[in-house]
Amino acid sequence: MAEKLGIMVCGHGSRNQNAAKEFAVIAQALRARNPDMPVEYGYLEFCNPVIASGLDSLREKGVTRVLAVPGMLFAAGHAKNDIPSVLNTYQAQNPGMVINYGRELGIDLKMIRAAGDRIQTAVDEANEALGFVEKHDTLLMVVGRGSSDPDANSNATKVMRMLWEGMGFGWGETCYSGVTFPLVEPGLTHAAKLGYKRIIVFPYFLFTGVLVKRIYSYTDEVAARHPEIQFVKASYLNDHPLVLDAFQDRVREILEGAAVMNCQMCKYREQVLGFEADVGQRQESHHHHVEGIGGGLENCPCKGDCDASCRDPDFCKEHGLPYTPVHSHAEPNDLEPAFDYAASTTLGGKYGHLLNAAPDAGLEAVMNAPSSGKSAAHEHGPNCGCGGHHAHDHHNHDHDHGHDHAHGHSHDHDHGHNHGHGHGHDHGHHHAPYPHADHPLGPKSMQKKT
């Protein structure tokens, strides 16, 4: 019997329903570019359909060979562990189907050009609305997602350098939305000291969501402390035509047998400086407990455009919503929500008092705070994190999650609603902690300031 090809686009998922809608556009674009192949999509967590459901749809359409494309910018925990684990498990359970896994979007000239276009649009609009500023008087801040994988983090820095040099800005910096350092607030606080008239903040993200809203909120907060500087928020990548072309290229690579993931600097295979504990981790998905549970609360005032305000106990009390303390795999105890995501100064919100605040006072308090000194709650097994399927048994699926994952994966976890479960750490998987979880410019700088 002749093989029948199908395409599966694998995403992370978000509580923000607008992010889910934007991701679905990728599948629609690939359908238009591949009219002879069925195309489905699915998510690791929260959103529906889950990846297995998308694969079921392809199988029901007679597909025998799946070209699976990760909807990821860089290869970190999701692309290296979580998605392959789900795909390998499905293939093992359905022997008649072959699943070929492609590579992440990565460092790609199409992606660089798309990013440059978004940034240039922001520059043009700022020049028109705020007055012309030379690029040599402008600092470019590229904000990456942030991961415990130093290879993925370094790719964000490379993207920044190519944009900085290619577009001729006066200076360029990189910061991250979570997990690693520097995070957005300390990164922008540092950048504000460099004397540039304008700072362009560009989230190198595919879609909107809690993290993009966090980036813009922190930008507003730092801007309020520095009214002498123009802070300009550029749009994320979204469905730029060149981004869609890059996805099509990944499909073509699988067909041509050229889908090669970068393993040269992979922390799961090599002893990357400072990450020796990660070598040989098990390849498994850590999203089983939130797979397919849906997005944000139906009665939340965000109306689907989640900004994680539901992680603030005061917000939940005001609106009659269930509240769950933030859970962290980096520390065994419950943590308070990392940040209050209510509207910032430019939206007339609660950060107005920062307009007259002394620069860096809050940040210095965080930087001078002692390290928690707590050890991580998980350890990993001996098998390679890049290899084949690893069967594993998950016990006690009683999870009550409000994750702020400062640990070994690149998680877009900003969930704070109650799943109706009680969380025990006994779920049968273990992973090494991110070694710099208490870096003063990293996750610690997101803790609420009192």
Side-chain angles (χ1 to χ4, degrees), residues 94-123:
N94 296 273
M97 180 178 282
V98 174
I99 302 176
N100 298 137
Y101 184 48
R103 69 182 177 98
E104 80 288 358
L105 294 167
I107 303 295
D108 183 289
L109 291 179
K110 289 186 176 69
M111 300 298 295
I112 299 296
R113 288 166 55 199
D117 193 28
R118 296 298 192 212
I119 294 167
Q120 187 59 54
T121 297
V123 170

Side-chain angles (χ1 to χ4, degrees), residues 214 308 310-314 323-328 331-341 374 402-405 414-416 443-444 446-450:
R214 171 191 295 173
C310 52
R311 285 173 43 180
D312 179 358
D314 294 335
Y323 166 71
T324 305
V326 173
H327 164 73
S328 170
E331 301 191 20
N333 298 323
D334 286 337
L335 303 176
E336 286 301 309
F339 180 69
D340 186 339
Y341 296 91
K374 293 180 180 177
H403 297 51
D404 189 27
H405 278 71
D414 283 282
H415 16 303
K444 283 182 62 176
M446 290 172 57
Q447 293 174 5
K448 265 193 170 182
K449 304 173 181 65
T450 56

Side-chain angles (χ1 to χ4, degrees), residues 126 270 352:
E270 303 289 342

Side-chain angles (χ1 to χ4, degrees), residues 222-423:
V222 178
R225 299 200 296 256
H226 296 277
E228 76 281 4
I229 302 173
Q230 289 183 14
F231 282 80
V232 177
K233 292 177 281 190
S235 175
Y236 50 93
L237 293 164
N238 203 359
D239 59 347
H240 193 285
L242 289 171
V243 172
L244 303 179
D245 288 346
F247 270 102
Q248 178 64 17
D249 288 346
R250 298 299 170 269
V251 173
R252 189 179 302 111
E253 286 176 353
I254 304 175
L255 287 171
E256 295 173 352
V260 179
M261 186 173 288
N262 174 29
C263 290
Q264 183 179 6
M265 297 290 288
C266 177
K267 71 171 185 173
Y268 300 114
R269 289 183 180 270
E270 303 289 342
Q271 292 190 9
V272 176
L273 180 65
F275 292 80
E276 290 81 1
D278 290 307
V279 176
Q281 289 188 53
R282 291 179 63 179
Q283 183 182 58
E284 56 186 353
S285 175
H286 301 281
H287 296 257
H288 57 91
H289 41 272
V290 285
E291 186 179 35
I293 67 169
L297 299 168
E298 292 182 1
N299 59 336
C300 184
C302 73
K303 301 185 184 301
D305 190 23
C306 184
D307 64 356
S309 292
C310 52
R311 285 173 43 180
D312 179 358
D314 294 335
F315 180 92
C316 292
K317 183 178 180 179
E318 178 185 351
H319 296 283
L321 302 175
Y323 166 71
T324 305
V326 173
H327 164 73
S328 170
H329 279 235
E331 301 191 20
N333 298 323
D334 286 337
L335 303 176
E336 286 301 309
F339 180 69
D340 186 339
Y341 296 91
S344 289
T345 46
T346 57
L347 301 179
K350 62 181 65 179
Y351 295 121
H353 66 282
L354 293 172
L355 285 169
N356 300 316
D360 308 335
L363 180 59
E364 287 179 4
V366 173
M367 292 177 66
N368 293 328
S371 168
S372 67
K374 293 180 180 177
S375 60
H378 301 306
E379 296 177 0
H380 263 273
N383 298 321
C384 177
C386 292
H389 170 65
H390 301 283
H392 49 280
D393 224 1
H394 292 289
H395 306 289
N396 290 345
H397 281 213
D398 307 307
H399 300 295
D400 187 351
H401 274 277
H403 297 51
D404 189 27
H405 278 71
H407 68 294
H409 311 289
S410 165
H411 286 37
D412 191 359
H413 287 186
D414 283 282
H415 16 303
H417 61 283
N418 192 335
H419 297 190
H421 322 300
H423 180 48

Side-chain angles (χ1 to χ4, degrees), residues 12 15 39-40 88 142 183 218 235 242 288 316 326 332 373 380:
H12 179 277
R15 292 183 62 206
V39 179
E40 297 293 340
N88 288 335
V142 174
L183 292 188
Y218 272 126
S235 175
L242 289 171
H288 57 91
C316 292
V326 173
H380 263 273

